[in-house]
Amino acid sequence: GDSVTQMEGPVTLSEEAFLTINCTYTATGYPSLFWYVQYPGEGLQLLLKATKADDKGSNKGFEATYRKETTSFHLEKGSVQVSDSAVYFCALGSNYGGSQGNLIFGKGTKLSVKP
Amino acid sequence: ETGVTQTPRHLVMGMTNKKSLKCEQHLGHNAMYWYKQSAKKPLELMFVYNFKEQTENNSVPSRFSPECPNSSHLFLHLHTLQPEDSALYLCASSQDVTGRETQYFGPGTRLLVL
């Protein structure tokens, strides 16, 4: 079945460091890909998404490119801030078969940014 | 953000209690979801409703009973829960269930079962 694998955390960076959180997926069909972020004490909120191969999603300085050839959707940010400290979830939106319409989430990567 | 609201935000209950979680979305969406988020486990989809009809029940124990009276409201009725049911319960909504639409989440209800 469809699945998402993202790098295990926690990740600790200094302010202004470069961030990469790896995400790879397995899917039948042509899924949409999402990154969600969960700040402490809150629900998940969409950070960015891409709906087809080679699309780049971007928001708040974060970027991720839908790479069909490597089945990846890695999250990057050139210069992180303390306020980026949160848990980041990669997710796949299936449009095929029994799980159509459902989001399949990775386990989440906790990011801590130190001043 | 008041698109999806959940009440209560925190709930402590004994194993013999009956309680209900409420979710309301103000986004005009047609699909609503219940998720369970436990420490060290991936987010687990529990139920999906599309146009008030349940379209998915992810092998959830019968002590969890969902109710969707209309497209804007979703309830999760709880009875005779176990301590391992302690978790953050998240509600979400989306325009439809194509898999391409963004899901909008509420802040969650933090449940502790004693």
CSV table of all heavy atoms in Angstrom, one decimal, chain A residues 12-65:
chain,number,residue,atom,x,y,z
A,12,THR,N,18.2,19.3,15.7
A,12,THR,CA,18.5,20.5,16.4
A,12,THR,C,19.5,21.4,15.6
A,12,THR,O,20.5,20.9,15.2
A,12,THR,CB,19.1,20.2,17.8
A,12,THR,OG1,18.2,19.4,18.6
A,12,THR,CG2,19.4,21.5,18.6
A,13,LEU,N,19.1,22.6,15.3
A,13,LEU,CA,19.9,23.5,14.5
A,13,LEU,C,20.1,24.8,15.2
A,13,LEU,O,19.2,25.2,16.0
A,13,LEU,CB,19.2,23.7,13.1
A,13,LEU,CG,19.1,22.5,12.2
A,13,LEU,CD1,18.3,22.9,11.0
A,13,LEU,CD2,20.4,22.0,11.8
A,14,SER,N,21.1,25.5,14.8
A,14,SER,CA,21.3,26.9,15.3
A,14,SER,C,20.5,27.8,14.3
A,14,SER,O,20.3,27.5,13.2
A,14,SER,CB,22.8,27.3,15.3
A,14,SER,OG,23.5,26.5,16.2
A,15,GLU,N,20.1,29.0,14.9
A,15,GLU,CA,19.4,30.0,14.0
A,15,GLU,C,20.3,30.3,12.8
A,15,GLU,O,21.5,30.4,12.9
A,15,GLU,CB,19.2,31.2,14.9
A,15,GLU,CG,18.0,32.0,14.4
A,15,GLU,CD,17.5,33.0,15.5
A,15,GLU,OE1,18.4,33.4,16.3
A,15,GLU,OE2,16.3,33.4,15.5
A,16,GLU,N,19.6,30.5,11.7
A,16,GLU,CA,20.2,30.8,10.4
A,16,GLU,C,20.8,29.6,9.7
A,16,GLU,O,21.4,29.7,8.6
A,16,GLU,CB,21.2,32.0,10.5
A,16,GLU,CG,20.5,33.2,11.0
A,16,GLU,CD,21.5,34.4,11.0
A,16,GLU,OE1,22.6,34.3,10.5
A,16,GLU,OE2,21.0,35.5,11.4
A,17,ALA,N,20.8,28.4,10.3
A,17,ALA,CA,21.3,27.2,9.6
A,17,ALA,C,20.4,26.8,8.5
A,17,ALA,O,19.2,27.2,8.4
A,17,ALA,CB,21.5,26.1,10.6
A,18,PHE,N,20.9,25.9,7.6
A,18,PHE,CA,20.2,25.4,6.5
A,18,PHE,C,19.4,24.1,7.0
A,18,PHE,O,20.0,23.3,7.7
A,18,PHE,CB,21.1,25.0,5.3
A,18,PHE,CG,20.4,24.5,4.1
A,18,PHE,CD1,19.9,25.4,3.2
A,18,PHE,CD2,20.2,23.2,3.9
A,18,PHE,CE1,19.2,25.0,2.1
A,18,PHE,CE2,19.6,22.7,2.8
A,18,PHE,CZ,19.1,23.6,1.9
A,19,LEU,N,18.2,24.0,6.6
A,19,LEU,CA,17.4,22.8,7.0
A,19,LEU,C,17.0,21.9,5.8
A,19,LEU,O,16.6,22.4,4.8
A,19,LEU,CB,16.1,23.3,7.6
A,19,LEU,CG,15.0,22.2,7.9
A,19,LEU,CD1,15.5,21.3,9.0
A,19,LEU,CD2,13.7,22.9,8.2
A,20,THR,N,17.2,20.6,6.0
A,20,THR,CA,16.6,19.7,5.1
A,20,THR,C,16.0,18.6,5.9
A,20,THR,O,16.6,18.0,6.8
A,20,THR,CB,17.7,19.0,4.2
A,20,THR,OG1,18.4,20.0,3.4
A,20,THR,CG2,17.1,18.0,3.2
A,21,ILE,N,14.7,18.3,5.6
A,21,ILE,CA,14.1,17.1,6.2
A,21,ILE,C,13.7,16.2,5.0
A,21,ILE,O,12.9,16.6,4.1
A,21,ILE,CB,12.8,17.5,7.0
A,21,ILE,CG1,13.2,18.4,8.1
A,21,ILE,CG2,12.2,16.2,7.5
A,21,ILE,CD1,12.0,18.9,9.0
A,22,ASN,N,14.2,15.0,5.0
A,22,ASN,CA,14.0,14.1,3.9
A,22,ASN,C,12.6,13.4,4.0
A,22,ASN,O,12.2,13.0,5.1
A,22,ASN,CB,15.1,13.0,3.8
A,22,ASN,CG,16.4,13.6,3.4
A,22,ASN,OD1,16.4,14.7,2.7
A,22,ASN,ND2,17.5,13.0,3.7
A,23,CYS,N,12.0,13.2,2.8
A,23,CYS,CA,10.7,12.5,2.7
A,23,CYS,C,10.7,11.7,1.4
A,23,CYS,O,10.9,12.3,0.4
A,23,CYS,CB,9.6,13.5,2.8
A,23,CYS,SG,7.9,12.7,2.5
A,24,THR,N,10.4,10.4,1.5
A,24,THR,CA,10.2,9.6,0.3
A,24,THR,C,8.9,8.9,0.5
A,24,THR,O,8.4,8.7,1.6
A,24,THR,CB,11.4,8.6,0.2
A,24,THR,OG1,11.4,7.8,1.3
A,24,THR,CG2,12.7,9.3,-0.1
A,25,TYR,N,8.4,8.5,-0.7
A,25,TYR,CA,7.0,7.9,-0.6
A,25,TYR,C,7.0,6.7,-1.6
A,25,TYR,O,7.8,6.5,-2.5
A,25,TYR,CB,6.0,8.9,-1.0
A,25,TYR,CG,6.1,9.4,-2.5
A,25,TYR,CD1,5.4,8.7,-3.5
A,25,TYR,CD2,6.9,10.4,-2.9
A,25,TYR,CE1,5.4,9.1,-4.8
A,25,TYR,CE2,7.0,10.8,-4.2
A,25,TYR,CZ,6.3,10.1,-5.2
A,25,TYR,OH,6.4,10.5,-6.5
A,26,THR,N,5.9,5.9,-1.3
A,26,THR,CA,5.6,4.8,-2.2
A,26,THR,C,4.1,4.9,-2.5
A,26,THR,O,3.3,5.1,-1.5
A,26,THR,CB,5.8,3.4,-1.5
A,26,THR,OG1,7.2,3.3,-1.2
A,26,THR,CG2,5.4,2.3,-2.5
A,27,ALA,N,3.7,4.9,-3.7
A,27,ALA,CA,2.3,5.2,-4.1
A,27,ALA,C,2.0,4.6,-5.4
A,27,ALA,O,2.8,4.5,-6.3
A,27,ALA,CB,2.0,6.6,-4.1
A,28,THR,N,0.7,4.2,-5.5
A,28,THR,CA,0.1,3.8,-6.8
A,28,THR,C,-0.6,5.0,-7.3
A,28,THR,O,-1.2,5.7,-6.6
A,28,THR,CB,-0.9,2.6,-6.6
A,28,THR,OG1,-0.2,1.6,-5.9
A,28,THR,CG2,-1.4,2.2,-7.9
A,29,GLY,N,-0.4,5.2,-8.6
A,29,GLY,CA,-1.1,6.4,-9.2
A,29,GLY,C,-0.3,7.6,-9.1
A,29,GLY,O,1.0,7.6,-9.0
A,30,TYR,N,-0.9,8.7,-9.0
A,30,TYR,CA,-0.2,10.0,-9.0
A,30,TYR,C,-0.7,10.9,-7.8
A,30,TYR,O,-1.6,11.7,-7.9
A,30,TYR,CB,-0.5,10.8,-10.3
A,30,TYR,CG,-0.1,9.9,-11.5
A,30,TYR,CD1,-1.1,9.1,-12.2
A,30,TYR,CD2,1.2,9.9,-12.0
A,30,TYR,CE1,-0.7,8.3,-13.3
A,30,TYR,CE2,1.6,9.1,-13.0
A,30,TYR,CZ,0.6,8.3,-13.7
A,30,TYR,OH,1.0,7.6,-14.7
A,31,PRO,N,-0.1,10.6,-6.7
A,31,PRO,CA,-0.6,11.3,-5.5
A,31,PRO,C,-0.2,12.8,-5.4
A,31,PRO,O,0.7,13.2,-6.1
A,31,PRO,CB,0.2,10.6,-4.4
A,31,PRO,CG,1.5,10.1,-5.0
A,31,PRO,CD,1.1,9.8,-6.4
A,32,SER,N,-0.9,13.5,-4.5
A,32,SER,CA,-0.5,14.8,-4.1
A,32,SER,C,0.4,14.7,-2.9
A,32,SER,O,0.2,13.7,-2.1
A,32,SER,CB,-1.7,15.7,-3.8
A,32,SER,OG,-2.4,15.9,-5.0
A,33,LEU,N,1.3,15.6,-2.7
A,33,LEU,CA,2.3,15.6,-1.6
A,33,LEU,C,2.2,16.8,-0.8
A,33,LEU,O,2.0,17.9,-1.3
A,33,LEU,CB,3.7,15.4,-2.1
A,33,LEU,CG,3.9,14.1,-2.9
A,33,LEU,CD1,5.3,14.1,-3.5
A,33,LEU,CD2,3.7,12.8,-2.0
A,34,PHE,N,2.3,16.7,0.5
A,34,PHE,CA,2.0,17.8,1.4
A,34,PHE,C,3.1,17.8,2.5
A,34,PHE,O,3.7,16.8,2.9
A,34,PHE,CB,0.7,17.7,2.1
A,34,PHE,CG,-0.5,17.5,1.3
A,34,PHE,CD1,-0.8,16.3,0.7
A,34,PHE,CD2,-1.3,18.6,1.0
A,34,PHE,CE1,-1.9,16.2,-0.1
A,34,PHE,CE2,-2.5,18.5,0.2
A,34,PHE,CZ,-2.8,17.3,-0.4
A,35,TRP,N,3.4,19.0,3.0
A,35,TRP,CA,4.1,19.2,4.3
A,35,TRP,C,3.2,19.9,5.2
A,35,TRP,O,2.7,21.0,4.9
A,35,TRP,CB,5.4,19.9,4.1
A,35,TRP,CG,6.6,19.1,3.7
A,35,TRP,CD1,7.1,18.9,2.4
A,35,TRP,CD2,7.3,18.2,4.5
A,35,TRP,NE1,8.1,18.0,2.4
A,35,TRP,CE2,8.3,17.6,3.7
A,35,TRP,CE3,7.3,17.9,5.9
A,35,TRP,CZ2,9.2,16.6,4.2
A,35,TRP,CZ3,8.2,16.9,6.4
A,35,TRP,CH2,9.2,16.4,5.5
A,36,TYR,N,3.0,19.3,6.4
A,36,TYR,CA,2.2,20.0,7.4
A,36,TYR,C,3.2,20.3,8.6
A,36,TYR,O,4.1,19.6,8.8
A,36,TYR,CB,1.1,19.1,8.0
A,36,TYR,CG,-0.1,19.0,7.1
A,36,TYR,CD1,-0.2,18.2,5.9
A,36,TYR,CD2,-1.2,19.8,7.4
A,36,TYR,CE1,-1.3,18.1,5.1
A,36,TYR,CE2,-2.4,19.7,6.6
A,36,TYR,CZ,-2.4,18.9,5.4
A,36,TYR,OH,-3.5,18.8,4.7
A,37,VAL,N,2.8,21.3,9.4
A,37,VAL,CA,3.6,21.7,10.5
A,37,VAL,C,2.7,21.7,11.7
A,37,VAL,O,1.5,22.2,11.6
A,37,VAL,CB,4.3,23.0,10.3
A,37,VAL,CG1,3.4,24.2,10.0
A,37,VAL,CG2,5.2,23.4,11.5
A,38,GLN,N,3.2,21.3,12.9
A,38,GLN,CA,2.5,21.3,14.1
A,38,GLN,C,3.3,22.0,15.2
A,38,GLN,O,4.3,21.5,15.6
A,38,GLN,CB,2.1,19.9,14.6
A,38,GLN,CG,1.2,19.9,15.8
A,38,GLN,CD,0.8,18.4,16.2
A,38,GLN,OE1,1.6,17.5,16.0
A,38,GLN,NE2,-0.4,18.3,16.8
A,39,TYR,N,2.8,23.2,15.5
A,39,TYR,CA,3.5,24.0,16.6
A,39,TYR,C,3.0,23.5,17.9
A,39,TYR,O,1.9,22.9,18.0
A,39,TYR,CB,3.2,25.5,16.4
A,39,TYR,CG,3.7,26.1,15.2
A,39,TYR,CD1,2.9,26.3,14.1
A,39,TYR,CD2,5.1,26.3,15.0
A,39,TYR,CE1,3.4,26.8,12.9
A,39,TYR,CE2,5.6,26.8,13.8
A,39,TYR,CZ,4.7,27.0,12.8
A,39,TYR,OH,5.3,27.5,11.6
A,40,PRO,N,3.8,23.7,19.0
A,40,PRO,CA,3.4,23.1,20.3
A,40,PRO,C,2.0,23.5,20.7
A,40,PRO,O,1.6,24.7,20.6
A,40,PRO,CB,4.5,23.8,21.2
A,40,PRO,CG,5.6,24.0,20.3
A,40,PRO,CD,5.1,24.4,19.0
A,41,GLY,N,1.2,22.6,21.1
A,41,GLY,CA,-0.1,22.8,21.6
A,41,GLY,C,-1.2,23.1,20.6
A,41,GLY,O,-2.3,23.5,20.9
A,42,GLU,N,-0.8,22.9,19.3
A,42,GLU,CA,-1.8,23.2,18.2
A,42,GLU,C,-2.0,22.0,17.4
A,42,GLU,O,-1.3,21.0,17.5
A,42,GLU,CB,-1.2,24.4,17.4
A,42,GLU,CG,-1.0,25.6,18.2
A,42,GLU,CD,-0.6,26.8,17.3
A,42,GLU,OE1,-0.6,26.6,16.0
A,42,GLU,OE2,-0.1,27.8,17.8
A,43,GLY,N,-3.0,22.1,16.5
A,43,GLY,CA,-3.2,21.1,15.5
A,43,GLY,C,-2.3,21.3,14.3
A,43,GLY,O,-1.4,22.2,14.3
A,44,LEU,N,-2.4,20.4,13.3
A,44,LEU,CA,-1.6,20.5,12.1
A,44,LEU,C,-2.1,21.6,11.2
A,44,LEU,O,-3.3,21.9,11.1
A,44,LEU,CB,-1.6,19.2,11.3
A,44,LEU,CG,-0.7,18.1,11.8
A,44,LEU,CD1,-1.2,17.5,13.1
A,44,LEU,CD2,-0.6,17.0,10.8
A,45,GLN,N,-1.1,22.3,10.5
A,45,GLN,CA,-1.5,23.3,9.5
A,45,GLN,C,-0.7,23.0,8.3
A,45,GLN,O,0.5,22.7,8.4
A,45,GLN,CB,-1.4,24.7,10.0
A,45,GLN,CG,-0.1,25.1,10.5
A,45,GLN,CD,-0.1,26.5,11.1
A,45,GLN,OE1,0.1,27.5,10.4
A,45,GLN,NE2,-0.4,26.6,12.4
A,46,LEU,N,-1.3,23.3,7.1
A,46,LEU,CA,-0.6,23.1,5.9
A,46,LEU,C,0.6,24.1,5.8
A,46,LEU,O,0.4,25.3,5.9
A,46,LEU,CB,-1.5,23.2,4.7
A,46,LEU,CG,-0.9,23.1,3.3
A,46,LEU,CD1,-0.5,21.6,3.1
A,46,LEU,CD2,-1.8,23.6,2.2
A,47,LEU,N,1.7,23.5,5.4
A,47,LEU,CA,2.9,24.4,5.1
A,47,LEU,C,3.0,24.6,3.6
A,47,LEU,O,3.2,25.8,3.2
A,47,LEU,CB,4.2,23.8,5.7
A,47,LEU,CG,5.5,24.5,5.5
A,47,LEU,CD1,5.4,25.9,6.2
A,47,LEU,CD2,6.6,23.7,6.1
A,48,LEU,N,3.0,23.5,2.9
A,48,LEU,CA,3.0,23.7,1.4
A,48,LEU,C,2.6,22.3,0.8
A,48,LEU,O,2.5,21.3,1.5
A,48,LEU,CB,4.5,24.0,0.9
A,48,LEU,CG,5.6,23.2,1.4
A,48,LEU,CD1,5.8,22.0,0.5
A,48,LEU,CD2,6.9,24.0,1.4
A,49,LYS,N,2.3,22.4,-0.5
A,49,LYS,CA,1.9,21.2,-1.2
A,49,LYS,C,2.3,21.2,-2.7
A,49,LYS,O,2.6,22.3,-3.2
A,49,LYS,CB,0.4,20.9,-1.0
A,49,LYS,CG,-0.5,21.9,-1.9
A,49,LYS,CD,-1.9,21.5,-1.7
A,49,LYS,CE,-2.9,22.3,-2.6
A,49,LYS,NZ,-4.3,21.9,-2.4
A,50,ALA,N,2.3,20.0,-3.3
A,50,ALA,CA,2.5,19.9,-4.7
A,50,ALA,C,1.6,18.8,-5.3
A,50,ALA,O,1.5,17.8,-4.6
A,50,ALA,CB,4.0,19.6,-5.0
A,51,THR,N,1.0,19.0,-6.4
A,51,THR,CA,0.0,18.1,-6.9
A,51,THR,C,0.5,17.3,-8.1
A,51,THR,O,-0.2,16.3,-8.5
A,51,THR,CB,-1.3,18.8,-7.3
A,51,THR,OG1,-1.0,19.8,-8.2
A,51,THR,CG2,-1.9,19.5,-6.0
A,52,LYS,N,1.6,17.6,-8.7
A,52,LYS,CA,2.1,16.8,-9.8
A,52,LYS,C,3.7,16.9,-9.9
A,52,LYS,O,4.3,17.8,-9.3
A,52,LYS,CB,1.5,17.2,-11.1
A,52,LYS,CG,1.8,18.6,-11.5
A,52,LYS,CD,1.1,19.0,-12.8
A,52,LYS,CE,1.5,20.3,-13.4
A,52,LYS,NZ,1.1,21.4,-12.5
A,53,ALA,N,4.2,15.9,-10.6
A,53,ALA,CA,5.7,15.8,-10.7
A,53,ALA,C,6.3,17.2,-11.2
A,53,ALA,O,5.7,17.9,-12.0
A,53,ALA,CB,6.0,14.7,-11.7
A,54,ASP,N,7.4,17.5,-10.5
A,54,ASP,CA,8.2,18.7,-10.8
A,54,ASP,C,7.6,20.0,-10.3
A,54,ASP,O,8.2,21.0,-10.4
A,54,ASP,CB,8.5,18.9,-12.3
A,54,ASP,CG,9.3,17.7,-12.9
A,54,ASP,OD1,10.1,17.1,-12.2
A,54,ASP,OD2,9.0,17.3,-14.0
A,55,ASP,N,6.4,19.9,-9.7
A,55,ASP,CA,5.9,21.1,-9.0
A,55,ASP,C,6.8,21.4,-7.8
A,55,ASP,O,7.3,20.5,-7.1
A,55,ASP,CB,4.5,20.8,-8.5
A,55,ASP,CG,3.4,21.1,-9.5
A,55,ASP,OD1,3.8,21.6,-10.6
A,55,ASP,OD2,2.2,21.0,-9.1
A,56,LYS,N,6.9,22.7,-7.5
A,56,LYS,CA,7.6,23.1,-6.3
A,56,LYS,C,6.6,23.8,-5.4
A,56,LYS,O,6.0,24.8,-5.8
A,56,LYS,CB,8.8,24.0,-6.6
A,56,LYS,CG,9.5,24.6,-5.3
A,56,LYS,CD,10.5,25.6,-5.7
A,56,LYS,CE,11.8,25.0,-6.2
A,56,LYS,NZ,12.9,25.9,-6.4
A,57,GLY,N,6.4,23.4,-4.2
A,57,GLY,CA,5.6,24.1,-3.2
A,57,GLY,C,6.5,25.0,-2.4
A,57,GLY,O,7.6,24.6,-2.1
A,58,SER,N,6.0,26.2,-2.0
A,58,SER,CA,6.8,27.0,-1.2
A,58,SER,C,5.9,27.9,-0.3
A,58,SER,O,4.8,28.2,-0.7
A,58,SER,CB,7.7,27.9,-2.0
A,58,SER,OG,6.9,28.7,-2.9
A,59,ASN,N,6.4,28.2,0.9
A,59,ASN,CA,5.7,29.0,1.8
A,59,ASN,C,6.6,29.4,3.0
A,59,ASN,O,7.4,28.5,3.5
A,59,ASN,CB,4.5,28.3,2.4
A,59,ASN,CG,3.6,29.1,3.3
A,59,ASN,OD1,3.5,30.3,3.1
A,59,ASN,ND2,2.9,28.5,4.2
A,60,LYS,N,6.6,30.6,3.4
A,60,LYS,CA,7.4,31.1,4.6
A,60,LYS,C,8.8,30.7,4.5
A,60,LYS,O,9.5,30.5,5.5
A,60,LYS,CB,6.8,30.5,5.9
A,60,LYS,CG,5.3,30.8,6.2
A,60,LYS,CD,4.9,30.2,7.5
A,60,LYS,CE,3.4,30.5,7.7
A,60,LYS,NZ,2.9,29.8,9.0
A,61,GLY,N,9.4,30.7,3.3
A,61,GLY,CA,10.8,30.4,3.1
A,61,GLY,C,11.1,28.9,3.0
A,61,GLY,O,12.2,28.5,2.7
A,62,PHE,N,10.1,28.1,3.2
A,62,PHE,CA,10.3,26.6,3.0
A,62,PHE,C,9.9,26.3,1.6
A,62,PHE,O,9.1,26.9,0.9
A,62,PHE,CB,9.3,25.9,3.9
A,62,PHE,CG,9.6,25.9,5.4
A,62,PHE,CD1,9.1,27.0,6.2
A,62,PHE,CD2,10.4,25.0,6.0
A,62,PHE,CE1,9.4,27.1,7.5
A,62,PHE,CE2,10.8,25.1,7.3
A,62,PHE,CZ,10.3,26.1,8.1
A,63,GLU,N,10.6,25.2,1.1
A,63,GLU,CA,10.4,24.8,-0.3
A,63,GLU,C,10.5,23.2,-0.3
A,63,GLU,O,11.2,22.6,0.5
A,63,GLU,CB,11.5,25.3,-1.3
A,63,GLU,CG,11.4,26.8,-1.5
A,63,GLU,CD,12.4,27.2,-2.6
A,63,GLU,OE1,13.4,26.4,-2.8
A,63,GLU,OE2,12.3,28.3,-3.1
A,64,ALA,N,9.7,22.6,-1.3
A,64,ALA,CA,9.9,21.2,-1.5
A,64,ALA,C,9.5,21.0,-2.9
A,64,ALA,O,8.5,21.5,-3.4
A,64,ALA,CB,9.0,20.4,-0.6
A,65,THR,N,10.2,20.1,-3.6
A,65,THR,CA,9.9,19.8,-5.0
A,65,THR,C,9.5,18.3,-5.2
A,65,THR,O,10.2,17.4,-4.6
A,65,THR,CB,11.2,20.0,-5.9
A,65,THR,OG1,11.5,21.4,-5.8
A,65,THR,CG2,10.9,19.7,-7.4
